[in-house]
Amino acid sequence: MNSLFHLAFHVTDLDEARRFYGGVLGCQEGRSTQTWVDFDFFSHQISLHLGEPFKTSLTGHVGEHLVPMPHFGLVLQRDDWQHLADRLQAANMAFVVPPHLRFEGQPGEQWTMFFMDPFGNPIEIKGFARLDTVYANR
């Protein structure tokens, strides 16, 4: 089965969403109306609708960090992750959890970073040396 992930969520300003998702993250804009806009979020579809964003809190215990819950994100190959981390650092992103390696030497070793979009929606980006280890437990 071949599939794409779709997530629709709220933002409070479509122009600001375009600047962030299109400009900062480099996502290509798709269809839109006066109340929503679609983006190609690294080969997955996100639909940003005008409304009240997720309510979140730092309640997710992962490694040594408390991470925002709920959150969404994606998994990239390590090199692509590093390219995006560099892009975000160059844009002076205020990270909730800065780019770092977690679970070093363990199954599921990954690079990760957490940040918020301009509306407070938390995003996690993970990087793996090999995508076939995403679900590794041994």
Side-chain angles (χ1 to χ4, degrees), residues 2 16 39 41 51 66 73 81:
N2 190 11
E16 181 66 19
F39 284 95
F41 186 71
L66 283 174
W81 179 90

Side-chain angles (χ1 to χ4, degrees), residues 71-116:
H71 63 264
F72 74 99
L74 65 138
V75 177
L76 297 172
Q77 290 277 358
R78 169 70 167 98
D79 291 344
D80 294 332
W81 179 90
Q82 187 62 61
H83 176 75
L84 183 57
D86 292 344
R87 180 184 183 122
L88 292 171
Q89 288 171 323
N92 296 313
M93 176 59 63
F95 290 97
V96 175
V97 177
H100 72 284
L101 175 63
R102 93 174 147 198
F103 309 132
E104 185 172 8
Q106 301 175 45
E109 178 181 275
Q110 61 192 256
W111 291 263
T112 189
M113 57 183 148
F114 280 84
F115 54 93
M116 303 284 204

Side-chain angles (χ1 to χ4, degrees), residues 5-119:
F5 187 78
H6 165 78
L7 176 66
F9 57 96
H10 287 137
V11 298
T12 57
D13 184 311
L14 295 181
D15 290 331
E16 181 66 19
R18 286 180 169 101
R19 284 188 289 278
F20 180 77
Y21 286 94
V24 175
L25 294 182
C27 299
Q28 183 175 340
E29 185 173 332
R31 295 171 293 152
S32 66
T33 70
Q34 292 182 339
T35 62
W36 58 266
V37 59
D38 283 346
F39 284 95
D40 176 342
F41 186 71
F42 304 87
S43 298
H44 300 282
Q45 183 189 45
I46 57 173
S47 297
L48 287 56
H49 291 252
L50 290 174
E52 182 69 29
F54 288 127
K55 293 194 184 308
T56 64
S57 59
L58 296 175
T59 58
H61 295 269
V62 181
E64 300 172 3
H65 295 97
L66 283 174
V67 300
M69 295 298 295
H71 63 264
F72 74 99
L74 65 138
V75 177
L76 297 172
Q77 290 277 358
R78 169 70 167 98
D79 291 344
D80 294 332
W81 179 90
Q82 187 62 61
H83 176 75
L84 183 57
D86 292 344
R87 180 184 183 122
L88 292 171
Q89 288 171 323
N92 296 313
M93 176 59 63
F95 290 97
V96 175
V97 177
H100 72 284
L101 175 63
R102 93 174 147 198
F103 309 132
E104 185 172 8
Q106 301 175 45
E109 178 181 275
Q110 61 192 256
W111 291 263
T112 189
M113 57 183 148
F114 280 84
F115 54 93
M116 303 284 204
D117 76 5
F119 316 100

